[in-house]
Amino acid sequence: QVQLVESGGGLVQPGGSLRLSCAASGPTSSYAMAWFRQAPGKDGEFVEAISKSGMGTTYADSVKNRFTISRDNAKNTMLLQMNSLKPEDTANYYCAEDQRGYTSPLYAYWGQGTQVTVSS
């Protein structure tokens, strides 16, 4: 059973930075990985995804030039570096992985989420 655990969330002021981590319980090299987020009262939203090798990424327009996804298959981890944070980035952030390609919208395995709050 795949387990994903997110960490790194917290409270940050607008314009600040946070780095989220996702640790997988097993090897990640066979899985595309992604970050999603869900704000209170809103639908879940795709944030960014990375290919199995780490060579390909795709992202939502709302995070372009601000968020960067990366992965380390040797450590079975994925990161999301978030810069220039805005109040509208406030959400619970989830990592996910799936054996389909990183451009697929379907992900089979999900973490429990980590809360990010951007507020002054």
Side-chain angles (χ1 to χ4, degrees), residues 31-104:
Y31 296 87
M33 301 184 78
W35 290 97
F36 292 78
R37 65 186 181 186
Q38 186 169 24
K42 295 187 177 181
D43 292 336
E45 176 187 22
F46 166 77
V47 177
E48 200 156 359
I50 189 165
S51 66
K52 298 173 186 179
S53 67
M55 296 299 291
T57 63
T58 183
Y59 50 83
D61 286 344
S62 59
V63 304
K64 183 179 179 181
N65 296 327
R66 298 190 301 122
F67 291 11
T68 302
I69 193 171
S70 62
R71 66 189 294 164
D72 185 341
N73 287 336
K75 296 180 179 180
N76 300 328
T77 58
M78 174 178 64
L79 301 176
L80 184 68
Q81 178 66 44
M82 306 187 294
N83 299 327
S84 302
L85 283 160
K86 305 175 181 180
E88 51 264 43
D89 294 318
T90 295
N92 207 4
Y93 283 70
Y94 299 88
C95 71
E97 66 176 18
D98 196 277
Q99 290 184 311
R100 283 170 281 231
Y102 72 107
T103 56
S104 167

Side-chain angles (χ1 to χ4, degrees), residues 1-7 21-24 33-36 38 78 92-97 107-114:
Q1 180 73 16
V2 174
Q3 290 187 327
L4 302 172
V5 179
E6 303 94 337
S7 61
S21 297
C22 175
M33 301 184 78
W35 290 97
F36 292 78
Q38 186 169 24
M78 174 178 64
N92 207 4
Y93 283 70
Y94 299 88
C95 71
E97 66 176 18
Y107 281 81
Y109 304 105
W110 294 78
Q112 293 298 307
T114 185

Side-chain angles (χ1 to χ4, degrees), residues 17-34:
S17 298
L18 278 177
R19 187 171 71 173
L20 304 184
S21 297
C22 175
S25 60
T28 55
S29 58
S30 297
Y31 296 87
M33 301 184 78

